[in-house]
Amino acid sequence: MHQPIAPHCLLHSSPFTKTGYLKRKNVGQRPPYFTTCLFFAALVFLACCNPAETKKETIKVAGEGKIRVKPNLVILTLNVSFTQPRMVDAVRMTQGTVDSVVSILEHYGSKENDIKTSSISANKDYNYDGRRPVFTGYQASQSIDFVLNDIEKFTELTGKLLETKINSISGIQFGHSKSDSLFREADLLAYDDALKSANKLCSRANVQLGKLVYMSNTVGTNGDEETFSSGEQINTYSKAYGGRGFKISPEVLEFKRKVISEYEIAN
């Protein structure tokens, strides 16, 4: 006779115990993480098989825009300076002349926008006799920057200024009141010039010009300057001359821009 199987023996030999169930799963089917790994491996394989997108050939060109105009404004730097044995006298004479100058300038421009004090100084003044510095007194000086927006009144204004005891007129610069607009117009001309060059080059190479992919504007060959300085200085040596003012023949201003453009080649 067969002896009955003990319950504890049935538990250990049953395929539905924890150990037996795992063994049956390992034998009969794959765990879920194995299937997931196969799926991602397939994606990587397909990605490697797809050819990478080829980069299109491009053409890069430069264009220049230039606008030449006559200046319609002038910027002046007026210098007032006096040397006296006493500092208080030098300051008083300087300030008195500055007040007279500002009073004249107010008839030709706005005090808030066109007249600005650029520097003030008071120091001991020395002359050199070739061997050592010789004290000559105390010097007080002041500089005023002024924008004359009507260049036609330059001769009239300088005639008035010569009646005062200014020391010199320096830093004469010519500019234009619409410089921002002129630079923007030069940008457009530079872009058109670059596009024209790109079309001509593609036509010569028997290819078709594609879409614009890059563009940048830069300053012209002479820099991004809005004014032209004459480099001249009118010295009056703190003496009131009076009489007719100075005539000017300013050079023509050039507003330049450069544009770098890059286009795709369609075929």
Side-chain angles (χ1 to χ4, degrees), residues 17-82:
T17 61
K18 183 177 181 180
T19 305
Y21 179 72
L22 291 176
K23 289 181 179 180
R24 181 178 289 264
K25 285 186 66 176
N26 291 335
V27 173
Q29 53 180 298
R30 296 181 179 90
Y33 72 86
F34 183 79
T35 304
T36 304
C37 292
L38 285 177
F39 175 73
F40 282 107
L43 289 179
V44 173
F45 177 77
L46 291 175
C48 294
C49 291
N50 290 332
E53 184 180 354
T54 57
K55 184 178 179 181
K56 292 186 177 181
E57 298 294 333
T58 62
I59 179 174
K60 184 179 291 187
V61 292
E64 184 178 74
K66 182 190 302 183
I67 298 178
R68 294 169 58 88
V69 296
K70 291 184 177 180
N72 64 358
L73 62 84
V74 58
I75 305 172
L76 308 174
T77 300
L78 310 173
N79 304 301
V80 180
S81 177
F82 288 94

Side-chain angles (χ1 to χ4, degrees), residues 86-151:
R86 297 194 308 165
M87 177 64 76
V88 64
D89 295 330
V91 172
R92 178 179 53 80
M93 294 178 67
T94 300
Q95 191 59 55
T97 302
V98 168
D99 292 341
S100 300
V101 170
V102 171
S103 178
I104 294 173
L105 297 179
E106 287 178 349
H107 290 86
Y108 294 89
S110 169
K111 185 175 182 179
E112 292 77 14
N113 301 322
D114 302 327
I115 305 173
K116 184 183 71 171
T117 300
S118 58
S119 67
I120 300 175
S121 65
N123 298 291
K124 292 181 178 181
D125 192 22
Y126 295 89
N127 281 335
Y128 290 86
D129 60 0
R131 294 178 300 175
R132 59 187 179 84
V134 178
F135 176 72
T136 58
Y138 295 92
Q139 183 185 72
S141 60
Q142 188 168 339
S143 297
I144 304 169
D145 292 333
F146 177 67
V147 180
L148 178 63
N149 291 287
D150 187 355
I151 199 171

